[in-house]
Structures are given as structure tokens and as C-alpha cells.
Amino acid sequence: MADNHTIEPQVLPPNPEKATLEGRNKYLGFWFFLGGETVLFGSLFGTYLGLRGGTADGPGPSDLFHVDLVFIMTMLLLTSSLTSVFAIINMKRGNYKGLLLWMTATVVLGLAFLGFEIYEFYEYNHQGLGFGVSAFASAFYTLVGTHGAHVTFGVSWITVLLIRYRKSGLTLTNAPKFYTAVLYWHFIDVVWVFIFTVVYLLGIGG
Amino acid sequence: MDPHADPSAPLQGEPSNQTKRKLKREMRTQLVSFVLMIFITSMAFFSIASDVIPNGFAIPFILILAGLQVVLQLYFFMHMNEKGTGWVNAMIWSGLFVAALTVASLMLLIGVVKY
């Protein structure tokens, strides 16, 4: 068997991401990680909510936020969540090309989101909201910046997977990898929903 | 699945008809939840952006909408509604529980006390 180099193709199982012990462990372990991430973002949200009134004569939320821009960013991220759902459905159908295509769409939408965010931070900095200007500024940049770092990491993660497995076809090794990357991406979207509501909408409304 | 199956072998063939039907249903559910999410986000946006709705109503309203949207995302997009997700639910809900306590205590400790 060791010197037989031809690999026998396997039959596609209904849930290829959970067909092996390794896949099941990755799936479960990743959810444990997401439970911890929830607490990380919880502490950043708590800090922001505690400090958002402390603008120290610098610009405040209602002077800065462009909700139209943030609304477009939200739509981009929501749509990228849907494209990653399509990617997983294609994976379960055994359509590997479809998986790669929808994952690429997810990456493109994620990059568009990042572009808007960088523009946004640049604008705020230009309007006098440096990181150390006020307690509000530090709390805002830390919370939204940590989310942006997660988006950056997610985009890089999916890109690496797409390059690494561009020719391999769907296997029991890469199915859990794509699946956990998609879970991560959805989680980023969940966090953004709260940032959109708590930071931006409450920032101009409350 | 054979536990000694080569994990690097390409997976071939079509899924069973049962799986195909399930995926077709799933596609519909996911599209419906996506439309709902877009609708919820737009409602939250317009209830703050328009001057017609008083803030005293809009603020709790958008917080409830955010909660609703997170449940949609977790239970449909991330499949937490499926069987065999007991541990997953346990982890996420305990994460959310600890996060809620953290948010409340940080708001009170560094926010309210110093005003």
C-alpha cells in the first residue's frame, strides 16, 4: 500500500466537513474558540459603552459618523456572509469549482469592506480624531479596529486556503478547513451587526 | 465513513437524492433569512436616520432588531438549529452570558461612576 501512489477517489459523504474525527474536532474546537471571542468583543463593547461620553473636547460620534457609508459596509458584509453560505452549499453538492468561486466572491466583498473602513479611519483621523485624543477615540478605534483586524485575518485565511487548494479538489482534509473559515466569517458578521447598532446607530441617535 | 479512508483523496460523485433535497430546502431557508437580515438592517437604519421616530422608541427597537439578526445568523447561516449542536449552543450561549455581564459591569464601573 505504501508504494501504491495512485489515490483512490472517495465517495462524497453528506457532510464532508464532519466525516472524519479530525473534522469533527475542528468543528467543535472552533466553536469553543468563538465562545471565547464573544467575551473578547464583549469586553471591548463594554469599554466603548463606558467611555463613549468622554470626548474631551475632541470630535464626538455625531460630528463624525457617516451612517450612509457604514450602511453600505453593513450590506457588503451581509452579502459576503450569504456568498459564503452558497460556498458551503456547493461544497456539500460536491461542486468544488462553485465552492472556490463563492469563496473568492466572499474575499472580494471582504476587501471592499476593508477599503471602506480604511477610508473611514483616515477621514476621522483627518477630522481630528487621533487614537489618543480622547477616551472615546481610543475605545472606538480599539473596538472597530479589532473587528477590522478580524476581517483582515479572515480575508487572508480564505485567500491562503484558495491558493493552497486551488487544484486539489474537495477532500476530507480541506472540507473542514473551508467550513471553519466560513464559520469565522459569519462570526465577524455577527460582531459587525452589533458594532453597526451600538456604535454607529446609537452614536448618532442616542 | 471508513475511518481509514485517505483524507487527501478527492471526493467524487453526487450527493444522495435525500441530501440534494435537503440542500435545496436549505438554499431557500438561507435566502429567506438573508432577505430578512437586509430588511432588519434597513429598518434599524431608517428608524434612526428619519426624524419621525422618537429616539426613546428607536433605541430599544434597534437593539431588539440586532438581537434578532444575530439569532438568524447563528441559527440559520451558522447552522446552530441542526441536530448534534448541543456543545455548540452551550459554548456560544455561555460566551454571550459572560459577555453580557462584562458589558454591564464595564459600563457601570468605568462609565456611570465617573460621571
Side-chain angles (χ1 to χ4, degrees):
Chain A
M1 178 140 170
D3 37 13
N4 179 6
H5 289 293
T6 53
I7 300 169
E8 289 282 306
Q10 301 270 333
V11 182
L12 178 76
N15 288 309
E17 79 280 4
K18 279 178 260 182
T20 59
L21 179 63
E22 193 191 337
R24 283 192 294 277
N25 284 345
K26 275 199 176 123
Y27 173 78
L28 192 60
F30 201 76
W31 279 98
F32 279 37
F33 166 71
L34 289 184
E37 286 272 281
T38 313
V39 181
L40 163 74
F41 278 105
S43 59
L44 292 176
F45 270 110
T47 314
Y48 174 79
L49 286 171
L51 297 176
R52 74 184 177 123
T55 47
D57 299 330
S62 45
D63 311 322
L64 292 165
F65 294 161
H66 303 287
V67 202
D68 309 12
L69 184 84
V70 183
F71 184 69
I72 295 169
M73 286 163 74
T74 309
M75 288 301 155
L76 283 174
L77 215 55
L78 271 178
T79 313
S80 78
S81 223
L82 183 74
T83 54
S84 64
V85 161
F86 287 162
I88 291 303
I89 289 181
N90 273 297
M91 179 184 93
K92 290 186 178 174
R93 280 182 184 147
N95 179 1
Y96 191 65
K97 276 221 174 85
L99 168 68
L100 295 183
L101 198 76
W102 285 114
M103 286 306 247
T104 313
T106 308
V107 167
V108 170
L109 288 167
L111 284 174
F113 174 87
L114 271 179
F116 276 112
E117 185 151 85
I118 290 165
Y119 166 75
E120 192 199 354
F121 280 12
Y122 177 80
E123 262 304 297
Y124 292 169
N125 193 42
H126 206 67
Q127 290 176 41
L129 192 80
F131 188 86
V133 164
S134 61
F136 156 72
S138 313
F140 169 79
Y141 281 128
T142 310
L143 171 59
V144 183
T146 307
H147 176 269
H150 276 72
V151 177
T152 314
F153 183 79
V155 163
S156 331
W157 182 2
I158 298 174
T159 310
V160 168
L161 283 181
L162 286 173
I163 295 168
R164 166 81 171 80
Y165 292 115
R166 67 194 180 282
K167 281 177 190 155
S168 69
L170 183 65
T171 68
L172 291 176
T173 312
N174 62 24
K177 296 188 186 189
F178 279 110
Y179 196 85
T180 42
V182 166
L183 282 181
Y184 186 76
W185 196 257
H186 289 315
F187 182 77
I188 290 172
D189 201 12
V190 169
V191 174
W192 181 258
V193 167
F194 273 108
I195 293 184
F196 177 64
T197 308
V198 171
V199 176
Y200 291 99
L201 291 185
L202 288 189
I204 52 157
Chain B
M1 199 84 207
D2 175 16
H4 303 292
D6 184 350
S8 64
L11 298 168
Q12 282 180 354
E14 295 259 299
S16 67
N17 282 335
Q18 196 198 349
T19 312
K20 271 188 192 159
R21 271 198 300 277
K22 192 178 157 268
L23 288 174
K24 209 169 181 182
R25 258 203 317 276
E26 197 187 308
M27 189 81 166
R28 251 200 321 268
T29 330
Q30 305 287 30
L31 277 172
V32 169
S33 43
F34 176 71
V35 170
L36 270 176
M37 282 184 208
I38 294 285
F39 178 65
I40 287 173
T41 312
S42 311
M43 271 216 299
F45 175 71
F46 287 118
S47 68
I48 288 289
S50 81
D51 298 325
V52 186
I53 299 155
N55 276 344
F57 172 78
I59 288 167
F61 181 62
I62 61 170
L63 288 175
I64 291 168
L65 288 182
L68 204 71
Q69 190 166 349
V70 164
V71 168
L72 278 178
Q73 187 98 15
L74 286 173
Y75 278 86
F76 293 98
F77 275 18
M78 293 167 90
H79 303 285
M80 261 168 66
N81 58 347
E82 284 175 7
K83 276 185 193 156
T85 52
W87 274 110
V88 169
N89 272 281
M91 287 323 287
I92 285 299
W93 285 110
S94 29
L96 284 173
F97 176 69
V98 177
L101 291 179
T102 313
V103 169
S105 54
L106 280 171
M107 274 179 80
L108 293 173
L109 286 170
I110 62 174
V112 177
V113 172
K114 289 201 178 135
Y115 286 129

